[in-house]
Structures are given as structure tokens and as C-alpha cells.
Amino acid sequence: RYDLNNWHMKAMIQDIKTIDDNAPLDTRPYERLPQITLIGDENIVNSPLRFTFDSEYVDFTHEDDSKTTGGRLTLRPGFSLPLSGAAWFIEPAVKFSHTQYDVGTVAGSTQTVDDRNLPISSVDAGLFFERTLSNGFQQTLEPRIYYLNVPYEDQDNIPLFDTSIPRFSVAQLYRDNRFVGGDRIGDTNQLTLGLTSRLLNPNTGDEFVRASIGQIYYFEDRKVSLNGGTIDTDKQSDMIAELDVKWRRWQSSIDLQWDVSRNELSPENYFLHYKSDDSRLFNIGYRKLLQDNSSEVDIEQTDTSFVYSFNRNYSAIARWNYSLKDHKDIDTILGLTYDSCCWSIQVLGQRLLRNSTTRSDYDTAILVQFVFKGLGSLSGSRAKSTLEQSIYGYTDIYQ
């Protein structure tokens, strides 16, 4: 990686090995050999007009000889005009996206993919209102409006290397592409209306509460899809809302999505976190997701975890991820740590569901980490990564 002022370049070689030998070859991910990106922006002759540039070249390879492989070059120059005052901002922008492919298969067949050239225009604007509460905190009210226009271009013959549809969130309301990855650019003519309110400490700038809500209104049908699917004719998106609260040692978040076509919530995410220090923390969460175009539950889970230090030497670790829909454990972790002045040992037992369609198909493991303080650990990488991935807020204090 190389950074120079507002310009950033990155080169990466990514080779992926699938540990599940039974996974079909065609379901395994592509490798990037290599990926090179260059992004940046610069004001033009000390004016507010700003030049932006986003580029990427990737050479995709795959274990399956029948899969389409090859290179993809994306160039996206653009101009934006960010203007703002004490209580407002507006930023019109226009970009031109050029994408070209050089693809075929390892087996020797070739594939012709036409270059894709699309203009992307947008206007982002908002207002800032604030008031001082009786306790001295500052509350803001921030309405925001975002207009996006991308014309339609048939992209069904373009291969899918790394593109997907991300989970709908508040951040998705203001992106210029409903897809993630470079193989699809979504056509749209849309307007987003959003509202955010924050509670701030004016002395430190700390944010205690942030609440956001928003919805997209569509003026035209969306024709571009991942696999030649049906045209999206909805006139408005689901309504999305997020609430994040941080108060001293407590942190909570609520993510809700209101399905306007079925008049019900899906998904729902609730999370509560407490952390006094690295040796004492507690998490509890609930997640519910309905099946597409149905009121049947697809996912309903609870997730509870804690790290608790009994004294200077002993502490316990636990995590329990449970499926309320299937009435079975998903991931269970129990552990004990002993810590002395010069060394520590951590022993974990894990029972992890391998296949959610089979009730009794579990992987069971014993993980041990032994640390000489100041020198490093023995056999600790998997124990450390397991806890960091499974328990929110966990920090290995011995590394």
C-alpha cells in the first residue's frame, strides 16, 4: 500500500484455500492474482470543484476449469462540487464509469464481453439543526435528501466474479450502487429521504445517542439484476431505522427494517454490550429474519457471551449461540484462564454446528493457549481468533 496526500494505491495477491474438501469446486470463491487499486481526489485550481478518480484492475482465477476467469479493468473519473454553510450542505456530483473485461476459461474457451460505459449523477443535500438541553448536552436534527440517476444498460452477459447484494442498512440509502463489487451497476432514478438525530457532549464531541431512519422512493423500475431476475417494480424501499446508544460502560444497538409490502418487521436485530475492562464484559443479542416474500421465520437466534475475572488469577469465558427456530445450539464455548505474574494458560472447549440442516453434526474441539509474558504464545493463534470472532469486544490481554 502507498499513500500520498489524497491518493491511495494498493496491490494485493489473494489466494484462497477451501478447508471443506466436500465443497463443490464451482461454489468456491475466486482468487485475485493480482488486484491493483488507485483512488483519490483533488481540488481543481484552488476552487471548490473537486476531481475524483476510482480505478481497479483484477485478474480473477478459479480452481474449477469450467468457470469464467480473466481480467476486469474499471476506471471511474468524476467531478463533485461540495458546498456547505453553518447549517447546510449540498454536493452535486457526476461520474463516468468505464469497465472492460478480458475473459475466458482455463479450458480454452473464450467469451466476448462488451465494454460498459455509464454516467452516474447524484445530488446530496442536508440541513443541521441543534439545541442545548437542560443537562448541557446538545441534540441535533439532521434531515437529508439524496437523488441518484443511473441509466439502464443490459449487463446479463457480464460474468459474476465478486458481486453481491449487501444487507439493507442506513448506509445503503446513500450509496450510488445497490450492488457490491464491480460486475453490476444498478440502474435507477431514485430519491432518498432520511433523518438523523444525535445526542452529543459539546465539550468532548462524544456521541451518546444516534438515531436514523430513511426510505428510498423510485421513479422508474430497476431492470439490472445478478442473474437475469425479474424487474423490480416497487415504488419504494423498505423503511430502515437504526438506534445506537453509548453510555459509560454500556453500549446498545437496534436495527429494524419495516417491510412496506407485508407491513411487518424483517429483519430485527437487538444487541446489548457491557464492558468494564478487558477482563469483564457481557453481551446479549437477538436476531430475527423472515423468509423472502413470506411471513415464515428463516432465522431466529439469541447470542449470549461473557468474560468474567473472579480474581487476579482466574477468569471464565463463555458463549452460547442458540437457534430458537430449530431449537438447537449453533456455537457453544466454555473456557477458563489462569494468569500468574510470568505466564498464563487458557483452555477452551468449543462445540460448533457444522451443518444447520443436520441436528447432530457438530465439530468439537479443545483449544489451549500457553503464554510466556513478554515472549509470546504457544498454540494460541486459533484460540485467540476464535474468541475475537465469537465474542464482541474481546481483547487478548496476553498478546
Side-chain angles (χ1 to χ4, degrees):
R1 177 169 176 170
Y2 180 75
D3 300 302
L4 179 63
N5 298 326
N6 296 334
W7 294 89
H8 314 280
M9 185 184 74
K10 183 177 72 173
M12 179 178 72
I13 295 176
Q14 184 182 55
D15 184 19
I16 299 174
K17 298 301 180 185
T18 304
I19 60 175
D20 184 1
D21 294 332
N22 297 321
L25 284 180
D26 61 350
T27 65
R28 301 183 185 187
Y30 278 93
E31 295 144 355
R32 297 173 171 89
L33 303 174
Q35 177 191 40
I36 301 172
T37 60
L38 174 64
I39 61 174
D41 54 73
E42 200 78 41
N43 282 91
I44 299 177
V45 196
N46 297 322
S47 71
L49 185 63
R50 200 160 188 83
F51 171 73
T52 63
F53 187 73
D54 189 347
S55 64
E56 178 192 53
Y57 174 77
V58 194
D59 189 13
F60 293 98
T61 65
H62 202 278
E63 298 175 69
D64 187 351
D65 291 349
S66 65
K67 296 281 285 187
T68 299
T69 59
R72 183 186 69 203
L73 174 66
T74 302
L75 303 174
R76 185 178 289 190
F79 294 94
S80 65
L81 185 62
L83 303 172
S84 62
W88 61 274
F89 77 91
I90 183 170
E91 183 175 352
V94 61
K95 303 175 185 177
F96 181 79
S97 179
H98 169 78
T99 309
Q100 63 185 60
Y101 288 82
D102 180 15
V103 297
T105 65
V106 178
S109 63
T110 59
Q111 181 178 352
T112 301
V113 178
D114 295 333
D115 293 350
R116 181 182 60 200
N117 297 288
L118 283 171
I120 302 172
S121 54
S122 64
V123 179
D124 193 2
L127 299 172
F128 299 99
F129 302 99
E130 62 183 38
R131 65 171 181 169
T132 301
L133 304 179
S134 58
N135 58 8
F137 289 162
Q138 203 167 55
Q139 183 188 12
T140 70
L141 193 65
E142 306 166 30
R144 184 176 177 182
I145 185 171
Y146 177 72
Y147 174 75
L148 175 66
N149 186 280
V150 183
Y152 168 74
E153 182 172 327
D154 188 356
Q155 302 170 45
D156 289 344
N157 71 324
I158 295 178
L160 288 172
F161 291 127
D162 63 355
T163 301
S164 61
I165 300 176
R167 184 181 69 85
F168 194 47
S169 65
V170 169
Q172 285 295 111
L173 297 173
Y174 308 103
R175 292 185 69 249
D176 60 12
N177 190 5
R178 62 178 178 270
F179 301 102
V180 172
D183 301 314
R184 295 291 186 273
I185 296 179
D187 61 312
T188 192
N189 183 14
Q190 68 182 52
L191 182 70
T192 297
L193 298 179
L195 181 65
T196 297
S197 181
R198 309 172 199 265
L199 190 62
L200 307 170
N201 184 332
N203 298 320
T204 63
D206 290 341
E207 182 181 271
F208 297 118
V209 179
R210 183 177 72 253
S212 300
I213 189 171
Q215 190 174 24
I216 304 174
Y217 297 87
Y218 302 105
F219 306 119
E220 297 177 5
D221 297 339
R222 279 78 60 213
K223 302 176 184 177
V224 177
S225 61
L226 286 182
N227 294 296
T230 58
I231 296 175
D232 189 348
T233 61
D234 291 340
K235 299 304 180 184
Q236 58 193 32
S237 72
D238 291 346
M239 185 174 291
I240 191 78
E242 296 178 354
L243 174 65
D244 293 295
V245 180
K246 295 181 181 178
W247 183 256
R248 296 179 179 174
R249 298 172 179 176
W250 293 90
Q251 177 183 340
S252 67
S253 64
I254 300 175
D255 300 327
L256 301 175
Q257 183 173 329
W258 180 258
D259 190 320
V260 295
S261 62
R262 293 182 291 175
N263 291 323
E264 56 188 348
L265 287 173
S266 179
E268 304 171 59
N269 294 288
Y270 307 89
F271 179 74
L272 179 65
H273 168 72
Y274 172 83
K275 184 174 183 178
S276 62
D277 52 45
D278 290 334
S279 61
R280 289 184 176 89
L281 65 87
F282 172 78
N283 301 310
I284 184 170
Y286 170 82
R287 179 189 181 201
K288 183 179 180 181
L289 177 66
L290 302 182
Q291 296 178 4
D292 292 339
N293 303 317
S294 171
S295 296
E296 296 295 325
V297 174
D298 185 28
I299 296 174
E300 188 174 16
Q301 299 176 1
T302 59
D303 198 342
T304 307
S305 59
F306 70 84
V307 176
Y308 185 79
S309 177
F310 298 106
N311 51 44
R312 296 180 60 182
N313 300 113
Y314 290 96
S315 59
I317 301 170
R319 189 229 181 164
W320 181 36
N321 186 199
Y322 183 76
S323 173
L324 296 171
K325 174 195 172 185
D326 302 314
H327 305 288
K328 60 183 175 183
D329 299 334
I330 299 172
D331 186 14
T332 304
I333 298 174
L334 291 174
L336 186 66
T337 297
Y338 174 79
D339 177 35
S340 71
C341 62
C342 305
W343 61 275
S344 69
I345 185 170
Q346 188 176 75
V347 181
L348 304 175
Q350 182 181 31
R351 186 171 181 261
L352 178 64
L353 182 66
R354 181 187 301 173
N355 187 337
S356 60
T357 62
T358 305
R359 289 184 176 273
S360 59
D361 193 5
Y362 286 88
D363 280 330
T364 303
I366 301 296
L367 309 176
V368 180
Q369 177 176 246
F370 191 85
V371 179
F372 292 101
K373 296 184 177 180
L375 297 178
S377 65
L378 298 176
S379 303
S381 59
R382 183 179 172 187
K384 175 185 176 183
S385 63
T386 296
L387 293 176
E388 290 177 340
Q389 294 171 14
S390 303
I391 300 178
Y392 177 80
Y394 174 81
T395 301
D396 191 342
I397 61 176
Y398 308 114
Q399 296 296 309

